[in-house]
Amino acid sequence: MSRRVSSLLLYSGIVAIVLAMSAVHANVFATFRYDVIGSQRFPWTATYIAFLGLAAYVVGLPDVPRRARQIAAASVAAPILAVLGVSLIALALGEPFLPRFVVVSTTVLAAAWFATTATIANGGRSRASGRERVVLIGDQDGRHGIEQELRHNPERPATIVAQLTVEQAQPSPDQPAPIREVVEAEGATLIVLDRAAQSSQAIVDQAAMAHEDGVRVRTLSLFYEQWLGKLPISELERVSLLFDIGEVHRQRYSRLKRVIDLGVAVALLPLLLALVPIVAIGNALANRGPLLFHQDRVGKGGTVFRIHKFRTMRPDGDGFGAWTAESDMRVTPFGAILRRTHLDELPQLINIVRGELSLVGPRPEQPAYVAQLEAKLPYYQLRHLVQPGLTGWAQVKFGYARSEHDALEKLQFEFYYLRRQALAVDLRILVRTMRTILPIGGPSWH
């Protein structure tokens, strides 16, 4: 409830702050008093309100930033982004924006209000994680990993309050309903059954009784999907992967996705051309080597293509070798700046125009890594059913793959994307990607 309330407060507060400061200017500071609603400035006022709301959503306010530092950064970034966005439109149209008093005062007040609503949402998340109390039935080895992911970056908040093995969950003369006893003792609201637990009729019967009492029941696979945004490899069977994939089974989606990819890439090409001289100077002074980095990657259908990026590593460190780490010693100081700002990714717009990449999809890997991973990870080749992407669900949820174990983790997020591929999901990923670029924390996607 607190998260919904904080969202309502955030957006209603934006409207109130902008209109109030506009009214103050109209009645106190303006040379001639004017009616805010009836003046020629009102379309800009409404546009500014819309941009503030959009910027707040893009940076994840009010509920994505969790630590005080992230809340502060997001709260300051949102009004600045809104001012820049509307100012650029006003500059392009050659029309005056809002009075300086309105812009400055709303920027300060909006930043404070954003921080307040984010703090309220944060408190709501903490209380919600206490309310969604989970009892796991199944393999004990998985609990630690699930708890880590629930702390790190869940889609929904929850707390694991108890776990029973399949043997412990079996009824006996002394304990005719062990699951119900644990649920009542812990005040649990959700029971999660792994595949082994689902195969026991006695456990399923107990879960059904708890369900009748108002306790929700999920399979482990569905819990992963709804609460963690991934499909667990341990729960997958070939039959469970027989779902429709938007890019493969929905032609309208596939075509529209390509149109959007091409439109966005062409629109951003002028930015790439404008940055080339700047990056070239920085490269000549601090990178000392080729401007661009080219590397073979595996695309849709297993085809190999050449990916293009601004070089961020030493010339002798760009080839196939160790897994890339976030603090890789091969990255040059100037390359580190390009990586932090993600400007090194911009040359991949060329790959998008050529149809080798999409804006959103599984990140393409090197052929040598693909050969290794296909031999060791189940169903890895399924990720090649769709176009690889400049960014993707695995990138915003997990970030770098530093090992085969990390590649397995990312694959679980990629299966989630394959299962849910749609324009709404693509937009959600693009918004989350923007949040990783802005200074509020989040995984990267090299």
Side-chain angles (χ1 to χ4, degrees), residues 84-159:
L84 288 175
V86 181
S87 297
L88 287 173
I89 293 176
L91 185 63
L93 296 177
E95 294 186 15
F97 180 29
L98 295 175
R100 192 174 304 168
F101 168 80
V102 175
V103 174
V104 173
S105 60
T106 54
T107 298
V108 173
L109 291 174
W113 185 245
F114 290 162
T116 300
T117 55
T119 302
I120 293 172
N122 225 20
R125 175 172 35 238
S126 299
R127 289 189 291 274
S129 72
R131 284 199 303 269
E132 197 66 88
R133 299 171 65 81
V134 180
V135 173
L136 282 176
I137 311 296
D139 182 13
Q140 288 187 336
D141 294 338
R143 176 173 179 172
H144 178 67
I146 294 174
E147 286 178 328
Q148 280 192 320
E149 294 199 52
L150 286 172
R151 286 194 297 267
H152 173 60
N153 195 19
E155 295 302 296
R156 301 184 188 180
T159 300

Side-chain angles (χ1 to χ4, degrees), residues 303-323:
T303 58
V304 177
F305 68 97
R306 298 277 283 176
I307 203 170
H308 312 292
K309 300 170 70 172
F310 286 126
R311 187 175 55 83
T312 59
M313 291 185 178
R314 302 188 310 269
D316 61 346
D318 285 337
F320 173 77
W323 290 84

Side-chain angles (χ1 to χ4, degrees), residues 31-276:
T31 304
F32 301 101
R33 292 186 177 184
Y34 61 90
D35 177 20
V36 174
I37 305 297
S39 73
Q40 294 181 339
R41 289 193 176 104
F42 186 70
W44 284 112
T45 303
T47 302
Y48 184 40
I49 290 172
F51 267 68
L52 276 170
L54 179 61
Y57 175 76
V58 166
V59 301
L61 291 168
D63 56 325
V64 172
R66 300 188 179 187
R67 294 185 287 273
R69 192 176 181 180
Q70 292 177 336
I71 290 174
S75 300
V76 171
I80 291 175
L81 285 174
V83 170
L84 288 175
V86 181
S87 297
L88 287 173
I89 293 176
L91 185 63
L93 296 177
E95 294 186 15
F97 180 29
L98 295 175
R100 192 174 304 168
F101 168 80
V102 175
V103 174
V104 173
S105 60
T106 54
T107 298
V108 173
L109 291 174
W113 185 245
F114 290 162
T116 300
T117 55
T119 302
I120 293 172
N122 225 20
R125 175 172 35 238
S126 299
R127 289 189 291 274
S129 72
R131 284 199 303 269
E132 197 66 88
R133 299 171 65 81
V134 180
V135 173
L136 282 176
I137 311 296
D139 182 13
Q140 288 187 336
D141 294 338
R143 176 173 179 172
H144 178 67
I146 294 174
E147 286 178 328
Q148 280 192 320
E149 294 199 52
L150 286 172
R151 286 194 297 267
H152 173 60
N153 195 19
E155 295 302 296
R156 301 184 188 180
T159 300
I160 298 176
V161 295
Q163 180 171 20
L164 296 176
T165 65
V166 173
E167 292 75 20
Q168 291 170 334
Q170 297 294 334
S172 66
D174 295 332
Q175 283 187 303
I179 294 178
R180 173 176 281 184
E181 290 181 19
V182 172
V183 167
E184 292 177 351
E186 299 292 344
T189 58
L190 178 65
I191 297 172
V192 177
L193 307 176
D194 73 3
R195 192 161 52 181
Q198 294 166 48
S199 65
S200 170
Q201 188 61 49
I203 292 176
V204 172
D205 288 343
Q206 292 180 75
M209 287 189 294
H211 187 262
E212 292 173 3
D213 293 337
V215 179
R216 288 188 287 177
V217 180
R218 294 289 188 276
T219 65
L220 183 59
S221 179
L222 195 56
F223 175 76
Y224 265 75
E225 186 173 349
Q226 294 179 344
W227 270 262
L228 303 178
K230 62 193 284 190
L231 299 184
I233 293 291
S234 61
E235 291 290 300
L236 293 181
E237 295 177 331
R238 177 68 65 176
V239 68
S240 67
L241 296 173
L242 300 182
F243 47 77
D244 286 352
I245 299 174
E247 200 170 316
V248 177
H249 300 104
R250 295 196 299 275
Q251 196 173 61
R252 184 179 298 173
Y253 163 78
S254 179
R255 291 181 176 182
L256 187 55
K257 181 176 169 68
R258 175 58 184 156
V259 169
I260 293 172
D261 287 343
L262 195 57
V264 172
V266 170
L268 291 177
L269 280 177
L271 174 61
L272 172 61
L273 294 175
L275 283 172
V276 166

